[in-house]
Amino acid sequence: MALLRDQTDELLTFRFQQRDAEMLVVPRKDMQAATQSVLTDNGMRSEAWPDLLHIWNAKTPAN
């Protein structure tokens, strides 16, 4: 969760360990912009479970 929150790269790359699995490459800004819509469309009211929300809301460490 913190890894996604702290990303500054233009593109996020998701690789899966399955054999022959495709890699997903998503523009970070597009993913951030779509987050609220995805949460709302799926009946979710928060970015994380209450016991993990403190991680999501934590300040990004200085680089």
Side-chain angles (χ1 to χ4, degrees), residues 22 33 35 43 50 56 60:
E22 292 187 26
T35 298
W56 186 258
T60 303

Side-chain angles (χ1 to χ4, degrees), residues 5-39:
R5 180 202 63 211
D6 296 343
Q7 286 301 305
T8 57
D9 294 341
E10 183 179 334
L11 299 172
L12 298 175
T13 304
F14 297 91
R15 291 185 179 97
F16 302 94
Q17 290 188 339
Q18 289 177 290
R19 180 184 292 237
D20 299 327
E22 292 187 26
M23 177 174 51
L24 298 176
V25 179
V26 181
R28 182 179 51 83
K29 288 183 181 182
D30 290 352
M31 189 168 123
Q32 288 175 325
T35 298
Q36 240 4 277
S37 296
V38 170
L39 292 173

